[in-house]
Amino acid sequence: MVHSRLSLSIFCVSFVCFFLSAQGRWHHHHTKHKHHTHHHKISEISVPPFPAPEPSSPFAPEPASGPFAPEPSSPSAPHPTAPFAPEPSSPSNDGNANISTDVFDVRNFGAVGDGVTDDTEAFKMAWDSACQVNASVLHVPSGFSFMIQSTIFTGPCQGGLVFQVDGTLMPPDGPEDWPKNSSKRQWLVFYRINGMSLQGGGLIDGRGQKWWDLPCKPHKGINRTTLSGPCDSPIAIRFFMSSNLTVQGLQVKDSPQFHFRFDGCKNVHVESLHITAPALSPNTDGIHIENTNGVEIYNSVISNAGDDCISIGSGCYDVDIKNMTCGPGHGISIGSLGNHNSRACVSNITVRDSVIKVSDNGVRIKTWQGGSGAVSGITFSNIHMESVRNPIIIDQFYCLTKGCANQTSAVYVSDILYESIKGTYDIRSPPMHLACSDSVPCTNITLSDIELLPAQGDIVLDPFCWNAYGDMETLTIPPVSCLMEGIPRRILDNNDMGYCG
């Protein structure tokens, strides 16, 4: 009898454990996770990741998204595929029988990685092999420094290609070491690529110092002058006529000219970059985009005191810039636009939730006289300024020399919103400078929740306005009494003003 009761007890306990386990498994598989909808609304400024985050897995590239652009001129033809490329190293399977990832380590193609040996051909062979395989990884391993010459990595490729930089990439050391038959205007170019990620925790070192020291460069140092002569300097990384791109996690420093440039691209996602260059590094924009649409630039630190943190050229629209730390430098700029009497069109640009510090400018729109086209639908929101010389600036008289004559045509600037711009400014310039064309005034400028105080010294009570029309939704600090109301008759009567069709 005792034995029967014991057996019955064991059976009951076993049944209860089985039931609870089954319930747990059912709950795990059938409970739905709640998804939070993103609202395009002002949020608290958070500090971007610094330093750059750990390298992302080469087997999990991030997708990107966004629209298209005009076709620039074609670069030189790619080199032929190497006939005897090594086999990819350690193909892996992520559990899906239809998806495999092949890893092409550049060392398997002959790259040495000692910082001195020319590893260009090894990278070309690795690229050609990886380009032909779906969801492949071209791997630049950590612990090595690879010197490669000016190179065009050409597509189209199979798709899902990851260029994983965990080591260091560097060009030849200055113009004297640059091969005579190589372009001095660009270093690494990605051309006609669809669906690629350039990522990792490595370093791209542009070795720009000897380029900046060329006598043709605009030097600011004591007893240094600018002389005439050849002045071409390479852009470090250029994406050209490419789409669905992700660039993330990298450290990039000391480019001879722009660090990143996107030309004629669409659907670009940039995240968690750390870009640096010193104060006397001319024309070293952190990220420049031109004729490029559907752009997201998030969570990055750009400290390039020689030029713009981010610059937005003609032909760009649908651009979202968020959670950036910029400076020292020249701030975030739209332009310059309309140079050499050209037509320039820029629209639907948002810069939000960011910090700009110790910079010549904060958020800037700059155009040349004599241009045409339009800048419209621009939002600068929730931006903190720290000792910025021109926190808010529109300059339609942009000129690099003293000999620029007044002209009657101009790029039309309209529908510009500045909201929640707060912090401190350098009193050498007024905190707001709205200088618009004599013949083509700026219209629909809106100021809301602006609080700018001097970093030191007395408050500057006179923001500067010239031919600027708009309104203040709230009182501003300092007060802005120079902004005119309404829209001038010459704008209303001209239906072709700012035509960008």
mmCIF file of all heavy atoms in Angstrom, residues 373 396 408 410-415 436-444 467-469 486-498:
data_model
loop_
_atom_site.group_PDB
_atom_site.id
_atom_site.type_symbol
_atom_site.label_atom_id
_atom_site.label_comp_id
_atom_site.label_asym_id
_atom_site.label_seq_id
_atom_site.Cartn_x
_atom_site.Cartn_y
_atom_site.Cartn_z
ATOM 1 N N GLY A 373 17.733 78.176 -58.424
ATOM 2 C CA GLY A 373 17.234 76.985 -57.752
ATOM 3 C C GLY A 373 16.671 77.331 -56.394
ATOM 4 O O GLY A 373 16.256 78.478 -56.149
ATOM 5 N N GLN A 396 23.857 84.355 -48.019
ATOM 6 C CA GLN A 396 23.673 84.318 -49.470
ATOM 7 C C GLN A 396 24.685 85.191 -50.205
ATOM 8 O O GLN A 396 24.550 85.419 -51.405
ATOM 9 C CB GLN A 396 22.249 84.735 -49.828
ATOM 10 C CG GLN A 396 21.215 83.695 -49.395
ATOM 11 C CD GLN A 396 20.025 83.685 -50.315
ATOM 12 O OE1 GLN A 396 19.089 84.451 -50.156
ATOM 13 N NE2 GLN A 396 20.080 82.799 -51.300
ATOM 14 N N THR A 408 22.256 89.683 -59.641
ATOM 15 C CA THR A 408 20.807 89.804 -59.450
ATOM 16 C C THR A 408 20.126 88.478 -59.133
ATOM 17 O O THR A 408 19.082 88.460 -58.488
ATOM 18 C CB THR A 408 20.155 90.407 -60.703
ATOM 19 O OG1 THR A 408 20.494 89.599 -61.840
ATOM 20 C CG2 THR A 408 20.641 91.825 -60.922
ATOM 21 N N ALA A 410 19.822 84.517 -57.472
ATOM 22 C CA ALA A 410 20.277 83.838 -56.260
ATOM 23 C C ALA A 410 19.458 82.572 -56.052
ATOM 24 O O ALA A 410 18.338 82.438 -56.556
ATOM 25 C CB ALA A 410 20.141 84.760 -55.049
ATOM 26 N N VAL A 411 20.005 81.636 -55.313
ATOM 27 C CA VAL A 411 19.255 80.457 -54.888
ATOM 28 C C VAL A 411 18.200 80.916 -53.881
ATOM 29 O O VAL A 411 18.510 81.619 -52.919
ATOM 30 C CB VAL A 411 20.200 79.418 -54.245
ATOM 31 C CG1 VAL A 411 19.407 78.216 -53.742
ATOM 32 C CG2 VAL A 411 21.285 78.984 -55.225
ATOM 33 N N TYR A 412 16.954 80.539 -54.105
ATOM 34 C CA TYR A 412 15.839 80.980 -53.263
ATOM 35 C C TYR A 412 15.797 80.128 -51.992
ATOM 36 O O TYR A 412 15.705 78.898 -52.055
ATOM 37 C CB TYR A 412 14.543 80.861 -54.056
ATOM 38 C CG TYR A 412 13.284 81.220 -53.312
ATOM 39 C CD1 TYR A 412 13.249 82.257 -52.395
ATOM 40 C CD2 TYR A 412 12.097 80.521 -53.566
ATOM 41 C CE1 TYR A 412 12.084 82.592 -51.735
ATOM 42 C CE2 TYR A 412 10.922 80.855 -52.918
ATOM 43 C CZ TYR A 412 10.917 81.886 -51.992
ATOM 44 O OH TYR A 412 9.763 82.222 -51.340
ATOM 45 N N VAL A 413 15.863 80.780 -50.833
ATOM 46 C CA VAL A 413 15.847 80.094 -49.541
ATOM 47 C C VAL A 413 14.488 80.332 -48.876
ATOM 48 O O VAL A 413 14.096 81.486 -48.647
ATOM 49 C CB VAL A 413 16.988 80.606 -48.639
ATOM 50 C CG1 VAL A 413 16.914 79.958 -47.259
ATOM 51 C CG2 VAL A 413 18.343 80.314 -49.287
ATOM 52 N N SER A 414 13.759 79.252 -48.566
ATOM 53 C CA SER A 414 12.432 79.413 -47.966
ATOM 54 C C SER A 414 12.085 78.207 -47.099
ATOM 55 O O SER A 414 12.683 77.128 -47.227
ATOM 56 C CB SER A 414 11.361 79.570 -49.056
ATOM 57 O OG SER A 414 11.258 78.391 -49.828
ATOM 58 N N ASP A 415 11.094 78.408 -46.213
ATOM 59 C CA ASP A 415 10.585 77.334 -45.346
ATOM 60 C C ASP A 415 11.705 76.722 -44.506
ATOM 61 O O ASP A 415 12.014 75.533 -44.597
ATOM 62 C CB ASP A 415 9.884 76.246 -46.171
ATOM 63 C CG ASP A 415 8.701 76.794 -46.943
ATOM 64 O OD1 ASP A 415 7.972 77.626 -46.394
ATOM 65 O OD2 ASP A 415 8.529 76.414 -48.113
ATOM 66 N N CYS A 436 20.357 87.683 -46.548
ATOM 67 C CA CYS A 436 19.709 87.147 -47.750
ATOM 68 C C CYS A 436 19.912 88.085 -48.936
ATOM 69 O O CYS A 436 20.187 89.271 -48.784
ATOM 70 C CB CYS A 436 18.218 86.923 -47.483
ATOM 71 S SG CYS A 436 17.924 85.763 -46.120
ATOM 72 N N SER A 437 19.726 87.526 -50.123
ATOM 73 C CA SER A 437 19.979 88.236 -51.373
ATOM 74 C C SER A 437 19.146 89.516 -51.491
ATOM 75 O O SER A 437 17.989 89.569 -51.059
ATOM 76 C CB SER A 437 19.663 87.303 -52.542
ATOM 77 O OG SER A 437 19.552 87.999 -53.752
ATOM 78 N N ASP A 438 19.735 90.549 -52.116
ATOM 79 C CA ASP A 438 18.997 91.789 -52.353
ATOM 80 C C ASP A 438 17.796 91.561 -53.260
ATOM 81 O O ASP A 438 16.718 92.136 -53.066
ATOM 82 C CB ASP A 438 19.918 92.830 -53.005
ATOM 83 C CG ASP A 438 20.984 93.330 -52.048
ATOM 84 O OD1 ASP A 438 20.738 93.297 -50.831
ATOM 85 O OD2 ASP A 438 22.058 93.735 -52.521
ATOM 86 N N SER A 439 17.961 90.722 -54.276
ATOM 87 C CA SER A 439 16.907 90.526 -55.267
ATOM 88 C C SER A 439 16.009 89.326 -54.968
ATOM 89 O O SER A 439 14.869 89.268 -55.431
ATOM 90 C CB SER A 439 17.531 90.342 -56.658
ATOM 91 O OG SER A 439 18.454 89.278 -56.654
ATOM 92 N N VAL A 440 16.500 88.355 -54.193
ATOM 93 C CA VAL A 440 15.719 87.149 -53.886
ATOM 94 C C VAL A 440 15.716 86.954 -52.368
ATOM 95 O O VAL A 440 16.546 86.223 -51.824
ATOM 96 C CB VAL A 440 16.307 85.901 -54.592
ATOM 97 C CG1 VAL A 440 15.407 84.686 -54.368
ATOM 98 C CG2 VAL A 440 16.505 86.160 -56.074
ATOM 99 N N PRO A 441 14.793 87.591 -51.660
ATOM 100 C CA PRO A 441 14.784 87.502 -50.199
ATOM 101 C C PRO A 441 14.518 86.082 -49.708
ATOM 102 O O PRO A 441 13.939 85.246 -50.414
ATOM 103 C CB PRO A 441 13.629 88.427 -49.805
ATOM 104 C CG PRO A 441 13.374 89.283 -51.000
ATOM 105 C CD PRO A 441 13.735 88.463 -52.184
ATOM 106 N N CYS A 442 14.944 85.805 -48.480
ATOM 107 C CA CYS A 442 14.576 84.552 -47.812
ATOM 108 C C CYS A 442 13.177 84.714 -47.226
ATOM 109 O O CYS A 442 12.845 85.771 -46.678
ATOM 110 C CB CYS A 442 15.545 84.240 -46.674
ATOM 111 S SG CYS A 442 17.277 84.166 -47.147
ATOM 112 N N THR A 443 12.359 83.671 -47.320
ATOM 113 C CA THR A 443 10.984 83.762 -46.817
ATOM 114 C C THR A 443 10.644 82.568 -45.931
ATOM 115 O O THR A 443 11.292 81.517 -45.991
ATOM 116 C CB THR A 443 9.973 83.827 -47.979
ATOM 117 O OG1 THR A 443 10.057 82.623 -48.748
ATOM 118 C CG2 THR A 443 10.260 85.027 -48.884
ATOM 119 N N ASN A 444 9.610 82.749 -45.116
ATOM 120 C CA ASN A 444 9.096 81.696 -44.237
ATOM 121 C C ASN A 444 10.182 81.121 -43.327
ATOM 122 O O ASN A 444 10.309 79.908 -43.165
ATOM 123 C CB ASN A 444 8.447 80.574 -45.049
ATOM 124 C CG ASN A 444 7.171 81.012 -45.725
ATOM 125 O OD1 ASN A 444 6.479 81.906 -45.243
ATOM 126 N ND2 ASN A 444 6.858 80.416 -46.866
ATOM 127 N N ASN A 467 17.094 91.442 -45.568
ATOM 128 C CA ASN A 467 16.136 90.921 -46.536
ATOM 129 C C ASN A 467 15.604 89.543 -46.125
ATOM 130 O O ASN A 467 15.395 88.666 -46.971
ATOM 131 C CB ASN A 467 16.770 90.846 -47.932
ATOM 132 C CG ASN A 467 15.981 91.637 -48.951
ATOM 133 O OD1 ASN A 467 15.097 92.413 -48.607
ATOM 134 N ND2 ASN A 467 16.288 91.426 -50.219
ATOM 135 N N ALA A 468 15.382 89.358 -44.842
ATOM 136 C CA ALA A 468 14.903 88.075 -44.314
ATOM 137 C C ALA A 468 13.477 88.229 -43.790
ATOM 138 O O ALA A 468 13.204 89.129 -42.979
ATOM 139 C CB ALA A 468 15.820 87.597 -43.197
ATOM 140 N N TYR A 469 12.572 87.354 -44.240
ATOM 141 C CA TYR A 469 11.151 87.409 -43.893
ATOM 142 C C TYR A 469 10.756 86.139 -43.142
ATOM 143 O O TYR A 469 11.164 85.031 -43.502
ATOM 144 C CB TYR A 469 10.287 87.532 -45.144
ATOM 145 C CG TYR A 469 10.384 88.870 -45.838
ATOM 146 C CD1 TYR A 469 11.478 89.189 -46.635
ATOM 147 C CD2 TYR A 469 9.379 89.830 -45.693
ATOM 148 C CE1 TYR A 469 11.579 90.415 -47.275
ATOM 149 C CE2 TYR A 469 9.464 91.062 -46.331
ATOM 150 C CZ TYR A 469 10.564 91.350 -47.116
ATOM 151 O OH TYR A 469 10.658 92.562 -47.748
ATOM 152 N N GLY A 486 5.536 88.645 -43.405
ATOM 153 C CA GLY A 486 4.906 88.460 -44.705
ATOM 154 C C GLY A 486 5.856 87.934 -45.764
ATOM 155 O O GLY A 486 6.940 87.426 -45.479
ATOM 156 N N ILE A 487 5.415 88.073 -47.024
ATOM 157 C CA ILE A 487 6.205 87.658 -48.184
ATOM 158 C C ILE A 487 6.234 88.830 -49.155
ATOM 159 O O ILE A 487 5.183 89.385 -49.503
ATOM 160 C CB ILE A 487 5.593 86.422 -48.863
ATOM 161 C CG1 ILE A 487 5.583 85.235 -47.892
ATOM 162 C CG2 ILE A 487 6.369 86.055 -50.124
ATOM 163 C CD1 ILE A 487 4.933 83.979 -48.443
ATOM 164 N N PRO A 488 7.401 89.247 -49.603
ATOM 165 C CA PRO A 488 7.472 90.419 -50.485
ATOM 166 C C PRO A 488 6.776 90.182 -51.822
ATOM 167 O O PRO A 488 6.717 89.055 -52.319
ATOM 168 C CB PRO A 488 8.977 90.646 -50.664
ATOM 169 C CG PRO A 488 9.604 89.340 -50.325
ATOM 170 C CD PRO A 488 8.733 88.695 -49.306
ATOM 171 N N ARG A 489 6.248 91.261 -52.422
ATOM 172 C CA ARG A 489 5.468 91.173 -53.653
ATOM 173 C C ARG A 489 6.260 90.532 -54.785
ATOM 174 O O ARG A 489 5.724 89.758 -55.562
ATOM 175 C CB ARG A 489 5.008 92.586 -54.052
ATOM 176 C CG ARG A 489 4.326 92.687 -55.408
ATOM 177 C CD ARG A 489 3.060 91.819 -55.493
ATOM 178 N NE ARG A 489 2.071 92.237 -54.514
ATOM 179 C CZ ARG A 489 0.914 91.608 -54.343
ATOM 180 N NH1 ARG A 489 0.629 90.529 -55.066
ATOM 181 N NH2 ARG A 489 0.055 92.040 -53.454
ATOM 182 N N ARG A 490 7.558 90.824 -54.900
ATOM 183 C CA ARG A 490 8.331 90.283 -56.014
ATOM 184 C C ARG A 490 8.461 88.760 -55.961
ATOM 185 O O ARG A 490 8.648 88.116 -56.986
ATOM 186 C CB ARG A 490 9.710 90.931 -56.095
ATOM 187 C CG ARG A 490 10.590 90.790 -54.881
ATOM 188 C CD ARG A 490 11.874 91.591 -55.104
ATOM 189 N NE ARG A 490 12.765 91.620 -53.952
ATOM 190 C CZ ARG A 490 12.643 92.448 -52.936
ATOM 191 N NH1 ARG A 490 11.620 93.296 -52.899
ATOM 192 N NH2 ARG A 490 13.507 92.439 -51.936
ATOM 193 N N ILE A 491 8.328 88.200 -54.763
ATOM 194 C CA ILE A 491 8.319 86.735 -54.641
ATOM 195 C C ILE A 491 6.954 86.194 -55.063
ATOM 196 O O ILE A 491 6.847 85.215 -55.812
ATOM 197 C CB ILE A 491 8.643 86.300 -53.206
ATOM 198 C CG1 ILE A 491 10.055 86.758 -52.817
ATOM 199 C CG2 ILE A 491 8.510 84.795 -53.052
ATOM 200 C CD1 ILE A 491 11.172 86.087 -53.562
ATOM 201 N N LEU A 492 5.879 86.835 -54.617
ATOM 202 C CA LEU A 492 4.528 86.381 -54.956
ATOM 203 C C LEU A 492 4.249 86.485 -56.448
ATOM 204 O O LEU A 492 3.534 85.649 -57.012
ATOM 205 C CB LEU A 492 3.503 87.218 -54.177
ATOM 206 C CG LEU A 492 3.495 87.049 -52.656
ATOM 207 C CD1 LEU A 492 2.561 88.061 -52.011
ATOM 208 C CD2 LEU A 492 3.094 85.625 -52.271
ATOM 209 N N ASP A 493 4.825 87.493 -57.105
ATOM 210 C CA ASP A 493 4.548 87.708 -58.522
ATOM 211 C C ASP A 493 5.410 86.849 -59.444
ATOM 212 O O ASP A 493 5.171 86.791 -60.646
ATOM 213 C CB ASP A 493 4.780 89.185 -58.873
ATOM 214 C CG ASP A 493 3.718 90.089 -58.253
ATOM 215 O OD1 ASP A 493 2.678 89.555 -57.835
ATOM 216 O OD2 ASP A 493 3.955 91.317 -58.192
ATOM 217 N N ASN A 494 6.402 86.190 -58.893
ATOM 218 C CA ASN A 494 7.321 85.389 -59.716
ATOM 219 C C ASN A 494 7.074 83.909 -59.475
ATOM 220 O O ASN A 494 7.588 83.319 -58.529
ATOM 221 C CB ASN A 494 8.777 85.757 -59.388
ATOM 222 C CG ASN A 494 9.757 85.129 -60.376
ATOM 223 O OD1 ASN A 494 9.411 84.237 -61.123
ATOM 224 N ND2 ASN A 494 10.997 85.607 -60.336
ATOM 225 N N ASN A 495 6.295 83.295 -60.362
ATOM 226 C CA ASN A 495 5.949 81.870 -60.189
ATOM 227 C C ASN A 495 7.124 80.937 -60.416
ATOM 228 O O ASN A 495 7.108 79.777 -59.996
ATOM 229 C CB ASN A 495 4.810 81.490 -61.148
ATOM 230 C CG ASN A 495 3.506 82.186 -60.794
ATOM 231 O OD1 ASN A 495 3.242 82.464 -59.617
ATOM 232 N ND2 ASN A 495 2.707 82.494 -61.802
ATOM 233 N N ASP A 496 8.148 81.406 -61.117
ATOM 234 C CA ASP A 496 9.299 80.558 -61.404
ATOM 235 C C ASP A 496 10.395 80.682 -60.355
ATOM 236 O O ASP A 496 11.456 80.079 -60.505
ATOM 237 C CB ASP A 496 9.886 80.941 -62.764
ATOM 238 C CG ASP A 496 8.934 80.606 -63.915
ATOM 239 O OD1 ASP A 496 8.161 79.642 -63.751
ATOM 240 O OD2 ASP A 496 8.959 81.313 -64.935
ATOM 241 N N MET A 497 10.143 81.466 -59.290
ATOM 242 C CA MET A 497 11.154 81.652 -58.272
ATOM 243 C C MET A 497 11.524 80.322 -57.626
ATOM 244 O O MET A 497 10.651 79.573 -57.168
ATOM 245 C CB MET A 497 10.637 82.618 -57.189
ATOM 246 C CG MET A 497 11.659 82.946 -56.123
ATOM 247 S SD MET A 497 12.980 83.959 -56.765
ATOM 248 C CE MET A 497 12.088 85.482 -57.117
ATOM 249 N N GLY A 498 12.780 79.999 -57.653
ATOM 250 C CA GLY A 498 13.246 78.778 -57.031
ATOM 251 C C GLY A 498 12.815 77.520 -57.748
ATOM 252 O O GLY A 498 12.690 76.462 -57.125
#
